[in-house]
Amino acid sequence: MENRIATEIAGLKLANPTMLAAGILGYTGLSMKSVIEAGAGAVVTKTMGLEPRTGYPNPTVVQTNCGLLNAMGLPNPGIRHFKEELNKLKNTRAPTILSIYGSSPEEFANVAEIAVNIGADALELNVSCPHVKKAGAEIGCDPLLLAEIVKEVKKRVDIPVIVKLTPNVANIGEIAKSAEEAGADAITAVNTVKAMAIEIETCRPILANKFGGLSGPAIKPIAVRCVYDVYRSVNVPVIGCGGITSWQDAVEFMLAGASAVQIGTAVAFKGVGVFNSVAKGIQDYLERKGFKNVKELVGLAHKF
Ligand code: SIN
């Protein structure tokens, strides 16, 4: 069978266009290895910062009837302590994209430099966590600060720099353009949607942080719209993320303009087999429709 799903994004070679999204199974080398062995084309780690960070107290995750609501608070061991985990991925076939955060251009660039030294193949700048103060979406809502961060990181590293955007903005195309002009090699659209849940017997917000980020099928149409908007605003590749649970979802994101797709919440509900089933479904669809390569799908919906 002719391989129609191998692809390339910002210089990263992918056996197929599926990636593990940041935030799930991305804390250890072994868990990411199991995702690669299950068929993912690339993995994105849990977001790492300069120093270890405990995150928020429990509860940090709530299951709603349409997806997961989480507010972990960016817990991580600190980027330097992640080297041992990345070493376990050295001989795997899929690129490792290190998700990083910081609260200033200088801090982002320092984390980025360490990420390169410990073996990252690419970086994903998390400027989109919807609830951590002085980081995440506070940056991703400000096109000028975002541009400064991207420029500083690009000055200090020579691996691909991907910027993960928040859907919680009025004009995502404008933010994407600002990241592209500052040197971003690709854009991931999108992180979670800011949301909350309240327990009616105790009358209290459920998450310890009160607000969190909603992921899963509920946000898919929002994410498809964001990918569509970003695709028509920039010339760098777009990576779709938000509620992808089947090959049909992946194809929809590609038609909107995604060159690859990230899968997160579906891994929690369906297990790591989801990567293979999405990749195989895309391959079968391409064959059935007569497309020679997955790249031919990207952005097709813009013709109408
Ligand atoms: C978290 O750690 O709370 C989630 C991170 C994110 O939404 O980017």
Side-chain angles (χ1 to χ4, degrees), residues 173-203:
E174 178 190 58
I175 308 271
K177 188 80 203 147
S178 156
E180 180 191 43
E181 284 172 355
D185 298 290
I187 304 287
T188 300
V190 285
N191 206 323
T192 52
V193 175
K194 191 170 183 181
M196 79 184 296
I198 296 170
E199 210 286 307
I200 63 165
E201 293 306 322
T202 58
C203 309

Side-chain angles (χ1 to χ4, degrees), residues 37-287:
E37 283 163 3
V43 290
V44 186
T45 69
K46 175 69 183 161
T47 304
M48 299 285 144
L50 203 51
E51 302 300 337
R53 184 180 160 104
T54 321
Y56 303 138
N58 283 321
T60 51
V61 183
V62 186
Q63 185 170 345
T64 72
N65 58 13
C66 56
L68 287 182
L69 181 55
N70 89 83
M72 318 287 291
L74 297 173
N76 75 95
I79 184 108
R80 292 179 192 85
H81 299 279
F82 203 51
K83 181 175 177 165
E84 211 176 302
E85 300 308 323
L86 282 201
N87 280 345
K88 295 179 189 148
L89 294 173
K90 270 213 167 113
N91 297 317
T92 49
R93 55 152 184 81
T96 303
I97 301 167
L98 221 162
S99 171
I100 62 169
Y101 81 97
S103 56
S104 65
E106 182 64 15
E107 189 178 331
F108 253 106
N110 289 342
V111 182
E113 237 172 38
I114 300 169
V116 172
N117 291 338
I118 67 171
D121 296 312
L123 301 175
E124 184 177 81
L125 310 188
N126 183 349
V127 290
S128 44
C129 173
H131 46 73
V132 169
K133 299 247 173 325
K134 298 203 178 104
E138 284 190 15
I139 294 167
C141 290
D142 177 344
L144 296 179
L145 178 57
L146 174 60
E148 269 184 60
I149 286 171
V150 176
K151 277 187 199 152
E152 197 58 36
V153 170
K154 286 290 292 181
K155 255 196 251 164
R156 304 259 290 268
V157 304
D158 54 9
I159 58 174
V161 174
I162 303 164
V163 177
K164 185 169 186 179
L165 297 184
T166 173
N168 306 304
V169 289
N171 186 346
I172 194 168
E174 178 190 58
I175 308 271
K177 188 80 203 147
S178 156
E180 180 191 43
E181 284 172 355
D185 298 290
I187 304 287
T188 300
V190 285
N191 206 323
T192 52
V193 175
K194 191 170 183 181
M196 79 184 296
I198 296 170
E199 210 286 307
I200 63 165
E201 293 306 322
T202 58
C203 309
R204 298 165 68 116
I206 300 177
L207 293 168
N209 186 58
K210 297 190 177 78
F211 302 104
L214 183 66
S215 61
I219 75 162
K220 197 193 84 178
I222 299 172
V224 170
R225 187 269 301 164
C226 288
V227 167
Y228 191 93
D229 274 350
V230 172
Y231 180 81
R232 60 181 176 184
S233 308
V234 299
N235 293 309
V236 291
V238 185
I239 301 167
C241 182
I244 295 154
T245 65
S246 65
W247 68 263
Q248 289 94 335
D249 294 338
V251 168
E252 188 180 347
F253 272 81
M254 288 177 167
L255 295 172
S259 294
V261 292
Q262 294 185 354
I263 304 178
T265 303
V267 179
F269 292 121
K270 291 186 154 182
V272 293
V274 67
F275 293 100
N276 195 31
S277 69
V278 170
K280 183 173 178 322
I282 299 171
Q283 166 80 19
D284 293 348
Y285 172 84
L286 294 173
E287 270 183 36

